[in-house]
Every structure is written in structure tokens, then in C-alpha cells.
Coordinates of all heavy atoms in Angstrom, one line a residue:
M1 N 127.1 155.1 61.9 CA 126.1 155.6 60.9 C 125.2 156.5 61.7 O 124.4 156.0 62.6 CB 125.4 154.4 60.3 CG 124.5 154.8 59.2 SD 123.7 153.3 58.4 CE 124.9 152.1 58.4
D2 N 125.2 157.8 61.5 CA 124.3 158.7 62.2 C 123.1 159.0 61.3 O 123.3 159.6 60.3 CB 125.1 160.0 62.5 CG 124.4 160.9 63.4 OD1 123.5 160.5 64.1 OD2 124.7 162.1 63.3
R3 N 121.9 158.6 61.8 CA 120.7 158.8 61.0 C 119.8 159.7 61.7 O 119.6 159.6 62.9 CB 120.0 157.5 60.7 CG 120.7 156.6 59.8 CD 119.8 155.4 59.5 NE 120.6 154.2 59.3 CZ 120.8 153.3 60.1 NH1 120.3 153.2 61.3 NH2 121.6 152.2 59.8
Q4 N 119.1 160.5 61.0 CA 117.9 161.3 61.5 C 116.7 160.5 61.1 O 116.5 160.1 60.0 CB 117.9 162.7 61.0 CG 118.8 163.6 61.7 CD 118.4 165.0 61.4 OE1 118.3 165.4 60.2 NE2 118.1 165.8 62.4
M5 N 115.8 160.3 62.1 CA 114.6 159.6 61.8 C 113.4 160.5 61.8 O 113.3 161.4 62.7 CB 114.4 158.5 62.8 CG 115.5 157.5 62.9 SD 115.8 156.7 61.3 CE 114.4 155.6 61.1
Y6 N 112.6 160.4 60.8 CA 111.3 161.2 60.7 C 110.2 160.2 60.5 O 110.4 159.1 60.1 CB 111.4 162.1 59.4 CG 112.5 163.0 59.5 CD1 113.7 162.7 58.8 CD2 112.4 164.3 60.1 CE1 114.8 163.6 58.8 CE2 113.5 165.2 60.1 CZ 114.7 164.8 59.5 OH 115.7 165.7 59.5
H7 N 109.0 160.6 60.8 CA 107.9 159.8 60.5 C 106.9 160.4 59.6 O 106.6 161.6 59.8 CB 107.1 159.5 61.8 CG 105.9 158.6 61.6 ND1 105.9 157.3 61.3 CD2 104.6 159.0 61.6 CE1 104.7 156.9 61.1 NE2 103.9 157.9 61.2
Y8 N 106.6 159.8 58.5 CA 105.6 160.2 57.5 C 104.5 159.3 57.5 O 104.6 158.1 57.7 CB 106.3 160.4 56.2 CG 107.4 161.3 56.2 CD1 108.7 160.8 56.0 CD2 107.3 162.7 56.3 CE1 109.8 161.7 56.1 CE2 108.3 163.5 56.3 CZ 109.6 163.0 56.2 OH 110.7 163.9 56.2
A9 N 103.3 159.8 57.3 CA 102.1 159.0 57.3 C 102.0 157.9 56.3 O 101.4 156.8 56.5 CB 100.8 159.9 57.2
T10 N 102.6 158.1 55.1 CA 102.5 157.2 54.0 C 103.9 157.0 53.3 O 104.7 157.9 53.5 CB 101.5 157.6 53.0 OG1 102.0 158.8 52.4 CG2 100.1 157.8 53.6
V11 N 104.0 155.9 52.6 CA 105.2 155.7 51.8 C 105.4 156.8 50.8 O 106.5 157.3 50.6 CB 105.2 154.3 51.1 CG1 106.3 154.2 50.1 CG2 105.2 153.2 52.2
S12 N 104.3 157.2 50.1 CA 104.4 158.2 49.1 C 104.9 159.6 49.7 O 105.6 160.3 49.1 CB 103.1 158.4 48.3 OG 102.1 158.7 49.2
K13 N 104.4 159.9 50.9 CA 104.9 161.1 51.6 C 106.4 161.0 51.9 O 107.1 162.0 51.7 CB 104.0 161.4 52.8 CG 104.4 162.6 53.6 CD 104.0 163.9 52.8 CE 104.3 165.1 53.6 NZ 104.3 166.3 52.8
A14 N 106.8 159.9 52.4 CA 108.2 159.7 52.7 C 109.1 159.9 51.4 O 110.1 160.5 51.4 CB 108.5 158.3 53.3
L15 N 108.6 159.3 50.3 CA 109.3 159.4 49.0 C 109.4 160.8 48.6 O 110.4 161.2 48.0 CB 108.7 158.5 48.0 CG 108.8 157.0 48.2 CD1 108.0 156.2 47.2 CD2 110.3 156.5 48.1
Q16 N 108.3 161.5 48.7 CA 108.3 162.9 48.3 C 109.3 163.8 49.2 O 110.0 164.6 48.6 CB 106.9 163.5 48.4 CG 106.8 165.0 48.0 CD 107.2 165.2 46.6 OE1 106.7 164.5 45.6 NE2 108.2 166.1 46.3
E17 N 109.3 163.6 50.5 CA 110.2 164.3 51.3 C 111.6 164.0 51.0 O 112.5 164.8 51.0 CB 109.9 164.0 52.8 CG 108.5 164.6 53.3 CD 108.5 166.1 53.3 OE1 109.6 166.7 53.7 OE2 107.5 166.7 53.0
L18 N 111.9 162.7 50.8 CA 113.3 162.3 50.4 C 113.7 162.9 49.1 O 114.8 163.4 48.9 CB 113.4 160.8 50.4 CG 113.5 160.1 51.7 CD1 113.3 158.6 51.6 CD2 114.8 160.5 52.5
S19 N 112.8 162.9 48.1 CA 113.0 163.6 46.8 C 113.4 165.0 47.0 O 114.3 165.6 46.4 CB 111.8 163.4 45.9 OG 112.1 164.1 44.7
D20 N 112.6 165.7 47.9 CA 112.9 167.1 48.2 C 114.2 167.3 48.8 O 114.8 168.4 48.7 CB 111.8 167.7 49.1 CG 110.4 167.8 48.5 OD1 110.3 167.6 47.2 OD2 109.4 167.9 49.2
K21 N 114.8 166.3 49.5 CA 116.1 166.4 50.1 C 117.2 165.9 49.2 O 118.3 165.7 49.6 CB 116.1 165.5 51.4 CG 115.2 166.1 52.5 CD 115.2 165.2 53.7 CE 114.2 165.9 54.7 NZ 114.2 165.2 55.9
G22 N 116.9 165.6 47.9 CA 117.9 165.3 46.9 C 118.0 163.8 46.7 O 118.9 163.4 45.9
F23 N 117.2 163.0 47.3 CA 117.2 161.5 47.1 C 116.3 161.2 45.8 O 115.2 160.8 46.0 CB 116.7 160.8 48.3 CG 117.6 160.9 49.5 CD1 117.6 162.0 50.3 CD2 118.5 159.9 49.8 CE1 118.5 162.1 51.4 CE2 119.4 160.0 50.8 CZ 119.4 161.1 51.6
T24 N 116.9 161.3 44.6 CA 116.2 161.3 43.4 C 116.4 160.0 42.6 O 115.5 159.7 41.7 CB 116.5 162.5 42.6 OG1 117.9 162.6 42.3 CG2 116.0 163.8 43.2
T25 N 117.4 159.3 42.8 CA 117.7 158.1 42.0 C 116.8 156.9 42.6 O 116.7 156.8 43.8 CB 119.2 157.6 42.2 OG1 120.0 158.7 41.6 CG2 119.4 156.3 41.4
D26 N 116.2 156.2 41.7 CA 115.4 155.0 42.0 C 116.3 153.8 42.0 O 116.5 153.2 41.0 CB 114.2 154.8 41.1 CG 113.3 153.7 41.5 OD1 113.7 152.9 42.4 OD2 112.2 153.5 40.9
F27 N 116.8 153.4 43.2 CA 117.8 152.3 43.2 C 117.1 151.0 43.0 O 117.8 150.0 42.8 CB 118.6 152.3 44.5 CG 119.7 153.4 44.6 CD1 119.7 154.4 45.5 CD2 120.7 153.3 43.7 CE1 120.7 155.3 45.5 CE2 121.7 154.3 43.7 CZ 121.7 155.3 44.6
N28 N 115.7 150.9 43.1 CA 115.1 149.7 42.7 C 115.4 149.3 41.3 O 115.4 148.1 40.9 CB 113.5 149.8 42.9 CG 113.2 149.8 44.4 OD1 113.3 150.9 45.0 ND2 112.8 148.7 44.9
L29 N 115.6 150.3 40.4 CA 115.9 150.0 39.0 C 117.4 149.6 38.9 O 117.8 149.2 37.8 CB 115.6 151.3 38.2 CG 114.2 151.7 38.2 CD1 114.0 153.0 37.4 CD2 113.2 150.7 37.7
E30 N 118.2 149.8 39.9 CA 119.6 149.5 39.8 C 120.0 148.5 41.0 O 121.1 148.7 41.6 CB 120.4 150.8 39.9 CG 120.0 151.8 38.8 CD 120.8 153.0 38.9 OE1 122.0 153.0 39.3 OE2 120.3 154.1 38.5
E31 N 119.2 147.5 41.2 CA 119.4 146.6 42.3 C 120.8 146.0 42.3 O 121.4 145.8 43.3 CB 118.3 145.6 42.3 CG 118.4 144.6 43.5 CD 117.2 143.7 43.6 OE1 116.4 143.6 42.6 OE2 117.0 143.1 44.6
D32 N 121.3 145.6 41.1 CA 122.6 145.0 41.0 C 123.7 145.8 41.6 O 124.7 145.3 42.1 CB 122.9 144.5 39.6 CG 122.0 143.3 39.2 OD1 121.5 142.6 40.1 OD2 121.9 143.1 38.0
R33 N 123.6 147.1 41.4 CA 124.6 148.0 41.9 C 124.8 147.9 43.5 O 125.8 147.8 44.0 CB 124.3 149.5 41.7 CG 124.8 150.0 40.3 CD 124.4 151.4 40.1 NE 125.1 152.4 41.0 CZ 124.8 153.6 41.1 NH1 123.7 154.1 40.5 NH2 125.5 154.4 41.9
I34 N 123.6 147.8 44.1 CA 123.6 147.6 45.6 C 124.1 146.2 46.0 O 125.0 146.1 46.8 CB 122.2 147.9 46.2 CG1 121.8 149.3 45.9 CG2 122.2 147.5 47.6 CD1 120.4 149.6 46.2
K35 N 123.6 145.2 45.3 CA 124.1 143.9 45.6 C 125.5 143.6 45.4 O 126.2 143.0 46.2 CB 123.3 142.8 44.8 CG 121.9 142.7 45.1 CD 121.2 141.5 44.5 CE 121.5 141.3 43.0 NZ 120.7 140.3 42.4
N36 N 126.1 144.2 44.3 CA 127.5 143.9 43.9 C 128.5 144.9 44.4 O 129.7 144.6 44.4 CB 127.6 143.8 42.4 CG 126.7 142.7 41.8 OD1 126.6 141.6 42.4 ND2 126.1 142.9 40.7
H37 N 128.0 146.0 44.9 CA 128.9 147.1 45.4 C 128.4 147.7 46.7 O 128.4 149.0 46.8 CB 129.1 148.1 44.3 CG 129.6 147.6 43.0 ND1 130.9 147.2 42.8 CD2 129.0 147.3 41.9 CE1 131.0 146.7 41.6 NE2 129.9 146.8 41.0
C38 N 127.9 146.9 47.6 CA 127.3 147.5 48.8 C 128.3 148.4 49.6 O 127.8 149.3 50.3 CB 126.8 146.4 49.7 SG 128.0 145.2 50.4
E39 N 129.6 148.2 49.5 CA 130.5 149.0 50.2 C 130.5 150.4 49.7 O 131.1 151.3 50.3 CB 131.9 148.4 50.1 CG 132.5 148.4 48.7 CD 132.1 147.3 47.8 OE1 131.3 146.4 48.2 OE2 132.5 147.3 46.6
D40 N 129.9 150.7 48.5 CA 129.9 152.0 47.9 C 128.6 152.8 48.4 O 128.4 153.9 47.9 CB 129.8 151.9 46.4 CG 131.2 151.4 45.8 OD1 132.2 151.5 46.6 OD2 131.2 150.9 44.7
F41 N 127.8 152.2 49.3 CA 126.6 152.9 49.7 C 126.5 153.0 51.2 O 127.1 152.2 52.0 CB 125.4 152.1 49.2 CG 125.3 152.0 47.7 CD1 125.9 151.0 47.0 CD2 124.7 153.0 47.0 CE1 125.8 151.0 45.6 CE2 124.6 153.0 45.6 CZ 125.2 152.0 44.9
E42 N 125.8 154.0 51.6 CA 125.5 154.2 53.1 C 124.0 154.5 53.2 O 123.4 155.3 52.4 CB 126.3 155.4 53.6 CG 126.1 155.7 55.0 CD 127.0 156.9 55.5 OE1 128.1 157.1 54.9 OE2 126.5 157.6 56.4
I43 N 123.4 153.9 54.2 CA 122.0 154.2 54.5 C 121.9 155.4 55.4 O 122.5 155.5 56.4 CB 121.3 153.0 55.2 CG1 121.4 151.8 54.3 CG2 119.9 153.3 55.6 CD1 121.0 150.5 55.0
E44 N 121.2 156.4 54.9 CA 121.0 157.7 55.7 C 119.6 157.7 56.3 O 119.5 158.4 57.4 CB 121.2 158.9 54.8 CG 122.6 159.0 54.3 CD 123.0 160.4 53.9 OE1 122.1 161.2 53.6 OE2 124.2 160.7 53.7
H45 N 118.6 157.1 55.8 CA 117.2 157.2 56.3 C 116.6 155.8 56.2 O 116.8 155.1 55.1 CB 116.4 158.2 55.6 CG 116.9 159.6 55.6 ND1 116.7 160.4 56.7 CD2 117.6 160.3 54.7 CE1 117.3 161.6 56.4 NE2 117.9 161.5 55.2
I46 N 115.8 155.4 57.1 CA 115.0 154.2 57.1 C 113.6 154.5 57.6 O 113.5 155.1 58.7 CB 115.6 153.0 57.9 CG1 117.0 152.7 57.5 CG2 114.7 151.8 57.8 CD1 117.7 151.6 58.3
Y47 N 112.6 154.2 56.8 CA 111.2 154.3 57.2 C 110.5 153.0 57.1 O 110.6 152.4 56.0 CB 110.5 155.4 56.4 CG 111.2 156.7 56.3 CD1 112.0 157.0 55.2 CD2 111.1 157.6 57.3 CE1 112.7 158.2 55.1 CE2 111.8 158.8 57.3 CZ 112.6 159.1 56.2 OH 113.3 160.3 56.1
R48 N 109.9 152.5 58.1 CA 109.1 151.2 58.1 C 107.7 151.5 58.2 O 107.3 152.3 59.1 CB 109.6 150.3 59.2 CG 111.0 149.7 58.9 CD 111.3 148.6 59.8 NE 112.6 148.0 59.4 CZ 113.8 148.4 59.7 NH1 113.9 149.5 60.4 NH2 114.9 147.8 59.3
Y49 N 106.9 150.9 57.4 CA 105.4 151.0 57.4 C 104.8 149.7 57.6 O 105.1 148.7 56.8 CB 104.9 151.7 56.1 CG 105.4 153.1 56.0 CD1 106.6 153.4 55.4 CD2 104.8 154.2 56.6 CE1 107.2 154.7 55.3 CE2 105.3 155.5 56.6 CZ 106.5 155.7 55.9 OH 107.0 157.0 55.9
E50 N 103.9 149.6 58.5 CA 103.2 148.3 58.8 C 101.7 148.6 58.4 O 101.1 149.5 59.0 CB 103.3 147.9 60.2 CG 104.8 147.5 60.5 CD 105.0 147.0 62.0 OE1 103.9 146.6 62.6 OE2 106.1 147.0 62.4
G51 N 101.2 147.7 57.6 CA 99.8 147.9 57.2 C 98.9 147.3 58.3 O 98.7 146.1 58.4
E52 N 98.3 148.2 59.1 CA 97.4 147.8 60.2 C 96.2 147.0 59.7 O 95.8 146.0 60.3 CB 97.0 149.0 61.0 CG 98.2 149.6 61.8 CD 97.8 150.8 62.6 OE1 96.6 150.9 62.9 OE2 98.7 151.6 62.9
S53 N 95.6 147.5 58.6 CA 94.4 146.8 58.1 C 94.7 146.0 56.9 O 94.0 145.1 56.5 CB 93.3 147.8 57.8 OG 93.8 148.7 56.8
D54 N 95.8 146.3 56.1 CA 96.1 145.6 54.9 C 97.6 145.3 54.9 O 98.4 146.2 54.7 CB 95.7 146.5 53.7 CG 96.0 145.8 52.4 OD1 96.5 144.6 52.4 OD2 95.8 146.4 51.4
P55 N 98.0 144.0 55.0 CA 99.4 143.7 54.9 C 100.1 144.1 53.6 O 101.3 144.3 53.6 CB 99.4 142.1 55.0 CG 98.1 141.8 55.7 CD 97.1 142.9 55.2
G56 N 99.3 144.4 52.6 CA 99.8 144.9 51.3 C 100.4 146.3 51.5 O 101.1 146.7 50.6
D57 N 100.1 147.0 52.6 CA 100.6 148.3 52.8 C 101.9 148.3 53.5 O 102.5 149.4 53.7 CB 99.6 149.1 53.6 CG 98.3 149.4 52.9 OD1 98.3 149.4 51.6 OD2 97.3 149.7 53.5
E58 N 102.5 147.2 53.8 CA 103.7 147.1 54.5 C 104.9 147.4 53.5 O 104.9 146.9 52.4 CB 103.9 145.7 55.1 CG 103.0 145.5 56.3 CD 103.2 144.1 56.9 OE1 104.2 143.5 56.7 OE2 102.3 143.7 57.6
A59 N 105.8 148.2 54.0 CA 107.0 148.5 53.2 C 108.1 149.1 54.0 O 107.8 149.6 55.1 CB 106.6 149.5 52.1
T60 N 109.3 149.1 53.5 CA 110.4 149.8 54.1 C 111.0 150.7 53.1 O 111.3 150.2 51.9 CB 111.5 148.8 54.7 OG1 110.9 147.9 55.6 CG2 112.6 149.5 55.3
V61 N 111.3 151.9 53.4 CA 111.8 152.9 52.5 C 113.2 153.2 53.0 O 113.4 153.7 54.1 CB 111.0 154.2 52.4 CG1 111.6 155.2 51.4 CG2 109.6 153.8 51.9
Y62 N 114.2 153.0 52.1 CA 115.6 153.4 52.5 C 116.0 154.6 51.7 O 115.8 154.7 50.5 CB 116.6 152.2 52.1 CG 116.4 151.0 52.9 CD1 115.6 149.9 52.5 CD2 117.1 150.8 54.1 CE1 115.4 148.8 53.2 CE2 117.0 149.6 54.8 CZ 116.1 148.6 54.4 OH 116.0 147.5 55.1
G63 N 116.6 155.6 52.4 CA 117.3 156.7 51.7 C 118.8 156.4 51.7 O 119.4 156.2 52.8
I64 N 119.3 156.2 50.5 CA 120.7 155.7 50.4 C 121.6 156.8 49.7 O 121.1 157.5 48.8 CB 120.7 154.5 49.5 CG1 119.7 153.4 50.1 CG2 122.1 153.9 49.4 CD1 119.4 152.3 49.1
K65 N 122.8 156.9 50.2 CA 123.8 157.8 49.5 C 125.0 156.9 49.1 O 125.5 156.2 49.8 CB 124.2 158.8 50.5 CG 125.2 159.8 49.9 CD 125.5 160.9 50.9 CE 126.5 161.9 50.3 NZ 126.8 163.0 51.3
A66 N 125.4 157.2 47.8 CA 126.5 156.5 47.3 C 127.8 157.3 47.6 O 127.7 158.5 47.9 CB 126.4 156.4 45.7
K67 N 128.9 156.7 47.6 CA 130.2 157.3 47.8 C 130.4 158.5 46.8 O 131.1 159.4 47.1 CB 131.4 156.4 47.8 CG 131.5 155.5 49.0 CD 132.7 154.6 48.9 CE 132.9 153.8 50.1 NZ 134.0 152.9 50.1
T68 N 129.8 158.4 45.7 CA 130.0 159.4 44.6 C 129.1 160.6 45.0 O 129.2 161.6 44.3 CB 129.5 158.9 43.3 OG1 128.1 158.5 43.4 CG2 130.3 157.7 42.8
G69 N 128.3 160.6 46.0 CA 127.4 161.7 46.3 C 126.0 161.5 45.8 O 125.1 162.2 46.2
E70 N 125.8 160.5 44.9 CA 124.5 160.3 44.4 C 123.5 159.8 45.5 O 123.9 159.0 46.3 CB 124.6 159.2 43.3 CG 123.3 158.8 42.7 CD 123.4 157.7 41.7 OE1 124.5 157.0 41.7 OE2 122.5 157.5 40.9
K71 N 122.3 160.4 45.6 CA 121.3 160.0 46.6 C 120.1 159.4 45.9 O 119.7 159.9 44.9 CB 120.9 161.2 47.4 CG 122.0 161.8 48.2 CD 121.4 163.0 48.9 CE 122.4 163.8 49.8 NZ 121.8 164.9 50.5
G72 N 119.5 158.4 46.6 CA 118.3 157.8 46.0 C 117.6 157.0 47.1 O 117.9 157.0 48.2
V73 N 116.5 156.3 46.6 CA 115.7 155.5 47.5 C 115.6 154.1 47.0 O 115.8 153.8 45.8 CB 114.3 156.1 47.5 CG1 114.3 157.5 48.2 CG2 113.6 156.2 46.2
Y74 N 115.3 153.2 47.9 CA 115.0 151.8 47.6 C 113.8 151.4 48.5 O 113.9 151.6 49.7 CB 116.2 151.0 47.9 CG 116.1 149.6 47.4 CD1 116.5 149.3 46.1 CD2 115.6 148.5 48.2 CE1 116.4 148.0 45.6 CE2 115.5 147.3 47.7 CZ 115.9 147.0 46.4 OH 115.8 145.7 46.0
V75 N 112.8 150.9 47.8 CA 111.5 150.6 48.6 C 111.4 149.1 48.5 O 111.5 148.4 47.5 CB 110.3 151.2 47.9 CG1 109.0 150.8 48.7 CG2 110.4 152.7 47.9
V76 N 111.2 148.5 49.7 CA 111.2 147.0 49.9 C 109.8 146.6 50.5 O 109.3 147.1 51.4 CB 112.3 146.6 50.9 CG1 112.3 145.1 51.0 CG2 113.6 147.1 50.4
S77 N 109.3 145.5 49.8 CA 108.1 144.9 50.4 C 108.6 143.8 51.3 O 109.7 143.3 51.2 CB 107.2 144.3 49.3 OG 107.9 143.3 48.6
P78 N 107.8 143.3 52.3 CA 108.2 142.3 53.3 C 108.7 141.0 52.6 O 109.6 140.4 53.2 CB 106.9 142.0 54.1 CG 106.1 143.2 53.9 CD 106.4 143.8 52.6
G79 N 108.2 140.6 51.5 CA 108.6 139.3 50.9 C 109.9 139.4 50.1 O 110.3 138.5 49.4
A80 N 110.5 140.6 50.0 CA 111.7 140.8 49.1 C 113.0 140.5 49.7 O 114.0 140.6 49.1 CB 111.7 142.3 48.7
Y81 N 113.0 140.0 51.0 CA 114.3 139.8 51.7 C 114.9 138.4 51.4 O 115.3 137.7 52.3 CB 114.1 140.0 53.2 CG 113.9 141.4 53.5 CD1 112.6 141.9 53.8 CD2 114.9 142.4 53.6 CE1 112.3 143.2 54.2 CE2 114.7 143.7 53.9 CZ 113.4 144.1 54.2 OH 113.1 145.4 54.5
S82 N 115.0 138.0 50.2 CA 115.6 136.7 49.8 C 117.1 136.8 50.0 O 117.7 138.0 50.0 CB 115.3 136.2 48.4 OG 115.8 137.1 47.5
E83 N 117.8 135.7 50.1 CA 119.3 135.7 50.3 C 120.0 136.5 49.2 O 121.0 137.1 49.5 CB 119.8 134.3 50.3 CG 119.8 133.6 51.6 CD 120.4 134.5 52.8 OE1 121.6 134.9 52.7 OE2 119.7 134.7 53.8
N84 N 119.6 136.5 48.0 CA 120.3 137.2 46.9 C 119.7 138.5 46.5 O 119.8 138.9 45.3 CB 120.4 136.2 45.7 CG 121.2 135.0 46.0 OD1 122.2 135.1 46.7 ND2 120.8 133.8 45.6
S85 N 119.1 139.2 47.4 CA 118.4 140.4 47.0 C 119.2 141.7 47.5 O 119.8 141.6 48.6 CB 117.0 140.5 47.4 OG 116.9 140.6 48.8
A86 N 119.0 142.8 46.9 CA 119.5 144.0 47.4 C 118.8 144.4 48.7 O 119.4 145.0 49.6 CB 119.3 145.2 46.4
A87 N 117.5 144.0 48.9 CA 116.8 144.2 50.1 C 117.5 143.5 51.3 O 117.7 144.1 52.4 CB 115.4 143.7 50.0
K88 N 118.0 142.3 51.1 CA 118.7 141.6 52.2 C 120.1 142.3 52.5 O 120.4 142.5 53.7 CB 119.0 140.2 51.7 CG 119.8 139.3 52.7 CD 119.0 138.9 53.9 CE 119.8 137.9 54.7 NZ 120.2 138.3 56.0
V89 N 120.7 142.8 51.5 CA 122.0 143.5 51.7 C 121.7 144.8 52.5 O 122.4 145.1 53.5 CB 122.6 143.9 50.3 CG1 123.8 144.9 50.5 CG2 123.1 142.7 49.6
L90 N 120.6 145.5 52.2 CA 120.3 146.7 52.9 C 119.9 146.4 54.4 O 120.3 147.1 55.3 CB 119.2 147.5 52.2 CG 119.6 148.1 50.9 CD1 118.4 148.7 50.2 CD2 120.6 149.2 51.1
L91 N 119.2 145.4 54.5 CA 118.8 144.9 55.9 C 120.0 144.6 56.7 O 120.2 145.1 57.9 CB 117.8 143.7 55.9 CG 117.4 143.2 57.2 CD1 116.6 144.2 58.0 CD2 116.6 141.9 57.0
D92 N 120.9 143.9 56.1 CA 122.2 143.6 56.8 C 123.0 144.9 57.1 O 123.6 145.0 58.2 CB 123.0 142.6 56.0 CG 122.4 141.2 55.9 OD1 121.5 140.9 56.7 OD2 122.9 140.5 55.0
M93 N 123.0 145.8 56.2 CA 123.7 147.1 56.4 C 123.1 147.8 57.6 O 123.8 148.4 58.4 CB 123.7 147.9 55.1 CG 124.6 147.4 54.1 SD 124.4 148.3 52.5 CE 124.8 150.0 52.9
S94 N 121.8 147.9 57.6 CA 121.1 148.6 58.7 C 121.3 148.0 60.0 O 121.5 148.7 61.0 CB 119.6 148.7 58.4 OG 118.9 147.5 58.5
I95 N 121.4 146.7 60.1 CA 121.6 146.0 61.4 C 123.1 146.3 61.8 O 123.3 146.6 63.0 CB 121.4 144.5 61.3 CG1 119.9 144.3 61.1 CG2 121.9 143.7 62.5 CD1 119.5 142.8 60.7
K96 N 124.0 146.2 60.9 CA 125.4 146.5 61.2 C 125.6 147.9 61.6 O 126.3 148.2 62.6 CB 126.2 146.2 59.9 CG 127.7 146.0 60.2 CD 128.5 145.7 58.9 CE 128.0 144.5 58.2 NZ 128.8 144.2 57.0
G97 N 124.9 148.9 61.0 CA 124.9 150.3 61.4 C 124.4 150.5 62.8 O 124.9 151.4 63.5
R98 N 123.5 149.8 63.2 CA 123.0 150.0 64.6 C 123.9 149.5 65.6 O 124.0 149.9 66.8 CB 121.7 149.2 64.8 CG 120.5 149.8 64.0 CD 119.3 149.1 64.3 NE 118.3 149.6 63.4 CZ 117.2 148.9 63.0 NH1 117.0 147.7 63.4 NH2 116.4 149.4 62.1
A99 N 124.8 148.5 65.3 CA 125.8 147.9 66.2 C 126.9 148.9 66.5 O 127.6 148.8 67.4 CB 126.3 146.6 65.7
N100 N 127.1 149.8 65.5 CA 128.3 150.8 65.7 C 128.0 151.9 66.6 O 127.0 152.3 66.8 CB 128.6 151.3 64.3 CG 129.2 150.3 63.4 OD1 129.7 149.3 63.9 ND2 129.1 150.5 62.1

């Protein structure tokens, strides 16, 4: 998995830049697609934000591309990584991608 990494000051700026690059689908609204068909997706971008003064500002933004060519984003808060979540699937995919 070959990823380009960029740094944006805020989650909203990262989302805007990804949208400008064609990542327009909100995969948070289609979580079951990711959970049930993870083999159909590839992570192209990952942005992690740590809230230095407010833990509520912590988030991870994934730029995801489907095999069909559809591009979108998935935004995860730190507490969202339960065993049966799309966030956990994406975390596992990103770890696996680093090993390659």
C-alpha cells in the first residue's frame, strides 16, 4: 500500500482537501459496507489528530478507495474501535498495509 502523507492543521481542512481530490463519499454513513466487504476497499490516506488541550479533538481521518473507483472518507473518534466496528476493520487494514 503506497500512501502519500500530508499534514493539515484540522480535521475539517483534511476533509476539504480530500474532497478536492475526489474523496466525496461519506463512508461513515455506509459503515456496514466496510465491515462486510473490507476486501473491496483500500486506504489511500490516513490523518491522525491528537487534541493537545481537548481530548474531544482527537480523530483519525481515512481516505478510502473502493475497487469500483469510488472514493470517500471515514472519520473515527478514539472510542470507536470496538471489535465489531468499521473503525476496527480500518485500523487492522492500516496495520497490515504497513507490514507490506
Side-chain angles (χ1 to χ4, degrees):
M1 192 179 320
D2 187 26
R3 290 187 210 104
Q4 277 195 304
M5 300 304 289
Y6 302 94
H7 177 73
Y8 300 108
T10 64
V11 170
S12 59
K13 182 67 174 163
L15 290 172
Q16 181 59 53
E17 290 293 324
L18 285 169
S19 177
D20 292 346
K21 293 177 182 185
F23 291 81
T24 56
T25 299
D26 182 351
F27 284 118
N28 286 82
L29 301 175
E30 303 181 34
E31 185 172 11
D32 286 341
R33 274 180 68 194
I34 295 170
K35 288 190 320 190
N36 298 325
H37 303 284
C38 64
E39 67 280 356
D40 293 340
F41 296 93
E42 180 179 330
I43 299 170
E44 293 199 346
H45 302 278
I46 301 174
Y47 308 98
R48 287 191 175 82
Y49 295 90
E50 296 182 16
E52 292 178 21
S53 61
D54 181 3
D57 291 340
E58 293 181 17
T60 302
V61 178
Y62 292 93
I64 305 167
K65 183 176 179 180
K67 284 185 178 177
T68 61
E70 179 183 19
K71 294 180 182 180
V73 296
Y74 190 86
V75 181
V76 182
S77 65
Y81 291 102
S82 68
E83 271 311 303
N84 296 320
S85 72
K88 176 74 166 114
V89 170
L90 290 170
L91 178 63
D92 292 345
M93 286 171 62
S94 70
I95 291 170
K96 202 180 297 181
R98 288 184 192 154
N100 293 334

